[in-house]
Amino acid sequence: MFDLKGEIAIVTGGSKGIGKAIVYALAVAGATVVIADIDEDNGKHICNELSGSGFQAEIVKTDVTDSKSVDSLVHYTVNKYGKVDILVNNAGILGDAPITEISDEDWDRLMRINLTGAFYCCRAAVRHMLEKRKGKIINIASAGGKQGFPLAGVHYCASKGGIMALTRQLALQVSPQGIHVNAVAPGTTETEMIKNRSEEKRQFIINKIPVGRMGRPEDTAAAVLFLASKAGDYITGETIDVNGGLYMD
Ligand code: NAP
């Protein structure tokens, strides 16, 4: 049911953290994975590791804020493999400054990576998926896009709320053509994104999580694999929370 043999997947921001775990989950399930990340070195390392174990992955250096870079990523993938079955929009950055300290540039940069980048990737992939009448798009949102969260900035939470709205509306438009669009909303997850948190802030977060630990990248990757596989075939327009019960707080 989770078999992805023969499927072609693009994962943005796949060189580290949650994206890296998603790349592994999809590749081990049998997909050929194209990592689309600005970090080429880590991406190459992941591809070498995966190919050493008999799995398929390659890195295509891509900046999701540049629509030409995104269009050429999808063009390259379709030319080489004939299709794109799965797109995971994972590339993102965190912003946690209070509103009075967010400059115009901070706001624009974060929105361009977290929201505009996902739009560019969806647009490029959907143009192709519509021809095949088949596709799975999975956008990585955040718990901060759904409820107030003390350690995230308004720009970050607005970008992730935008991701969920984009997910629903695109699902409404393209599900009749065989393209499923869903999101996964992780709670705080152990990656480089949160490495600068003080021990006090980490404990503050953990105290809010009923299961008593932060998320692991693999927790989110498992939900993405579910949605990408046949097991998720009757789900579209949905956001799955992966947050250890945070909303029960
Ligand atoms: P991460 O460890 O910082 O990895 C993000 C990756 O995206 C990095 O390789 C980064 O490259 C790359 N990237 C940044 N800008 C890019 C661009 N313009 N084009 C292509 N790639 C780009 O982040 P993460 O914690 O795994 O987060 C992944 C996703 O999960 C994000 O969307 C994030 O908002 C979401 N999320 C994370 C958490 C959490 O607590 N970690 C919680 C909820 C949601 P560089 O490192 O070179 O910049």
Side-chain angles (χ1 to χ4, degrees), residues 12-19 36-39 62-65 89-94 113-114 140-143 156 160 185-194:
T12 72
S15 292
K16 319 189 169 71
I18 293 172
D37 201 303
I38 47 174
D39 180 350
T62 307
D63 179 352
V64 298
T65 67
N89 283 309
N90 163 81
I93 57 169
L94 177 66
I113 297 173
N114 289 13
I140 305 303
S142 167
Y156 182 77
K160 294 302 184 176
T188 306
T189 305
E190 300 274 10
T191 69
E192 287 200 18
M193 185 177 267
I194 62 144

Side-chain angles (χ1 to χ4, degrees), residues 107-122:
W107 174 274
D108 288 344
R109 176 166 179 266
L110 188 141
M111 284 295 169
R112 287 192 67 74
I113 297 173
N114 289 13
L115 187 54
T116 309
F119 159 66
Y120 288 157
C121 292
C122 285

Side-chain angles (χ1 to χ4, degrees), residues 10 69-82 84 124:
I10 293 176
S69 176
V70 168
D71 289 348
S72 100
L73 158 78
V74 172
H75 193 70
Y76 169 85
T77 307
V78 172
N79 259 359
K80 181 162 179 182
Y81 299 107
V84 178

Side-chain angles (χ1 to χ4, degrees), residues 40-85:
E40 206 172 11
D41 290 345
N42 268 320
K44 274 188 187 147
H45 180 70
I46 293 169
C47 295
N48 289 340
E49 221 172 61
L50 279 167
S51 64
S53 305
F55 304 113
Q56 310 293 324
E58 72 169 297
I59 167 94
V60 176
K61 190 173 183 186
T62 307
D63 179 352
V64 298
T65 67
D66 174 358
S67 65
K68 286 196 177 62
S69 176
V70 168
D71 289 348
S72 100
L73 158 78
V74 172
H75 193 70
Y76 169 85
T77 307
V78 172
N79 259 359
K80 181 162 179 182
Y81 299 107
K83 57 183 184 160
V84 178
D85 300 297

